[in-house]
Amino acid sequence: MTTDEFAETEGSGIRPRPQSLMLSFLGNFVLGRDIGVFSGSFIDVFARVGVSEHAARSTLSRMARRGHFHRQRHGRRVYYGLTRRCAEILADGERRIWTTGVVNQDADAPWTLLSFSLPEGRQRDRHDLRSRLSWAGFGPLQNGLWIAPSRLDACQVIDGLGIDDNVRVFHARPAAPTEVGRIIADAFDLDDLAARYRRFLERWDTATPVPEAPDDLARLLLLLTDWLQTIRRDPRIPLAHLPDDWPAVRAQKLVHELHGTYAVPARAEAERILDTVPMPPTD
């Protein structure tokens, strides 16, 4: 998964990309069910969060071209099912939200260092690698050297890029005279990260979040899309190395609470409106 998969937000409002909303919808209502969803059902769902029919259809077509969907026709209706590649992207996002989380209590784990050197002709590979590193929790320490404040499996990060011979990976712990605080300041923008969480809390830690949303299905999609955008560059620095009252702690707790409020009625509404057929993932 790369940072290109996620929503953009601005100010106190939420302006998610249609593809970002699509991924949130698929992860919550399609992943693991071996079903295909009627194109008209997507249009119905996304109208609730302000996405036009044209934008919804364009997103479906674009994602199908990129290998996220496979299509199946039943009579005059077209159904969209997940490819295995898309299912892997969705599962990665689900782990990031519900398993890994953003609150890291382990200050004793070794750090992961990854160095790379790619020739000028492989600029696309360099871009893809940097996107993957950012999503995985790495930050750039210096030219060609990225660091993550936990023990990570770098093989998963570079899988499929064909750059194994251009990468070196180490697990290590900082030692004197290295100062952990200085390393963190050099590799990560904590001010920007904290501001992202505070903006998220401003949008959602209210008595009536997104009052313009017509139902809990819409609220759930907006919540999880906004949350993935917020956490997409969080390296999960151990709390011991962060300022007191780090806003990610309250924000993560809030996400779990709101999910608990929205999930059941959202699923009931999705089951009511979705037209589906059996359709297991394909390559």
Side-chain angles (χ1 to χ4, degrees):
M1 183 175 284
T2 72
T3 58
D4 296 335
E5 309 285 357
F6 303 114
E8 297 296 337
T9 59
E10 182 176 339
S12 60
I14 303 171
R15 300 193 308 167
R17 295 182 195 167
Q19 179 167 314
S20 305
L21 287 163
M22 184 73 74
L23 291 169
S24 293
F25 172 77
L26 296 171
N28 281 271
F29 301 105
V30 180
L31 180 64
R33 297 182 61 192
D34 292 347
I35 60 172
V37 179
F38 170 48
S39 59
S41 295
F42 286 108
I43 293 167
D44 189 348
V45 169
F46 292 113
R48 298 162 187 249
V49 289
V51 177
S52 69
E53 177 177 345
H54 173 74
R57 290 190 184 278
S58 296
T59 301
L60 286 170
S61 296
R62 184 170 60 253
M63 291 180 68
R65 289 194 302 269
R66 292 178 177 177
H68 290 81
F69 286 133
H70 62 104
R71 287 177 278 207
Q72 198 174 100
R73 183 174 290 276
H74 289 258
R76 300 179 62 183
R77 295 193 164 196
V78 176
Y79 294 78
Y80 290 78
L82 304 180
T83 61
R84 288 192 174 86
R85 174 171 173 261
C86 186
E88 290 171 358
I89 290 173
L90 297 172
D92 186 33
E94 291 293 287
R95 284 191 297 270
R96 184 69 176 268
I97 294 177
W98 306 116
T99 304
T100 306
V102 294
V103 179
N104 184 358
Q105 303 276 9
D106 188 1
D108 297 325
W111 291 42
T112 305
L113 285 73
L114 184 147
S115 67
F116 65 90
S117 178
L118 293 170
E120 286 300 318
R122 303 188 67 177
Q123 292 182 358
R124 180 63 191 180
D125 289 336
R126 188 181 292 112
H127 169 78
D128 289 345
L129 175 60
R130 287 170 175 164
S131 294
R132 291 191 184 194
L133 288 171
S134 294
W135 168 251
F138 286 85
L141 188 60
Q142 59 190 52
N143 188 34
L145 178 62
W146 289 56
I147 188 167
S150 57
R151 186 182 184 97
L152 299 177
D153 183 358
C155 291
Q156 293 184 355
V157 178
I158 66 174
D159 182 47
L161 292 179
I163 61 172
D164 291 22
D165 292 340
N166 304 91
V167 170
R168 301 289 182 270
V169 181
F170 305 88
H171 293 122
R173 289 181 171 82
T178 301
E179 296 180 2
V180 173
R182 178 63 183 271
I183 294 293
I184 291 172
D186 287 345
F188 308 104
D189 188 344
L190 290 189
D191 290 340
D192 178 71
L193 186 58
R196 285 175 177 271
Y197 283 114
R198 293 191 182 101
R199 288 194 296 269
F200 179 87
L201 287 165
E202 288 173 2
R203 290 189 287 269
W204 292 97
D205 195 11
T206 68
T208 55
V210 287
E212 69 277 13
D215 53 37
D216 284 343
L217 174 57
R219 275 183 279 273
L220 183 68
L221 291 178
L222 291 169
L223 171 71
L224 296 180
T225 305
D226 193 9
W227 182 239
L228 274 175
Q229 165 66 19
T230 301
I231 70 175
R232 67 191 176 104
R233 292 187 182 274
D234 190 328
R236 300 186 69 251
I237 296 168
L239 284 181
H241 303 312
L242 291 169
D244 293 339
D245 196 24
W246 183 244
V249 177
R250 184 158 63 97
Q252 180 170 273
K253 182 182 179 192
L254 178 65
V255 168
H256 285 257
E257 291 173 350
L258 291 177
H259 182 268
T261 298
Y262 301 150
V264 172
R267 289 191 180 281
E269 182 64 10
E271 289 300 314
R272 186 184 71 80
I273 66 174
L274 293 186
D275 176 5
T276 66
V277 296
M279 193 186 298
T282 66
D283 294 326

